[in-house]
Amino acid sequence: AQRLLRQVMPGAELVFAELESTPNVPGYILACSRRDRKAFVILPGTKNPADLATDFNSRAEAVGDGSAHRGMALSARWLEA
């Protein structure tokens, strides 16, 4: 993950990576740029059957004053928790 991160974000450092995912629990990468004093949460795209389960959970879910893709909303809530 560190090698890929350096290719796409020169100067960034890997803080933590959870590359495995399950339905509605995404894999993610935490990175930072000390120079820019910024932190990043990076969510890889669809990589495995668990990610497909999240993708196919596409019913509309109420979020705030609007709606969102249910699988993505559940994944975002898991990250927020």
Side-chain angles (χ1 to χ4, degrees):
Q2 179 69 49
R3 182 177 37 168
L4 179 60
L5 181 64
R6 285 187 179 158
Q7 289 174 350
V8 297
M9 296 177 67
E13 297 176 38
L14 178 66
V15 176
F16 181 79
E18 177 56 65
L19 302 177
E20 297 299 317
S21 57
T22 59
N24 304 315
V25 179
Y28 60 95
I29 299 168
L30 299 177
C32 71
S33 171
R34 292 179 193 268
R35 180 188 68 224
D36 298 330
R37 299 181 57 118
K38 293 184 179 180
F40 304 93
V41 177
I42 302 164
L43 303 172
T46 303
K47 304 182 307 194
N48 59 43
D51 294 337
L52 287 173
T54 299
D55 294 347
F56 290 140
N57 189 1
S58 60
R59 187 178 77 222
E61 168 114 351
V63 175
D65 293 333
S67 63
H69 178 284
R70 186 168 198 279
M72 297 299 145
L74 291 172
S75 293
R77 287 187 186 113
W78 184 88
L79 284 168
E80 182 181 50

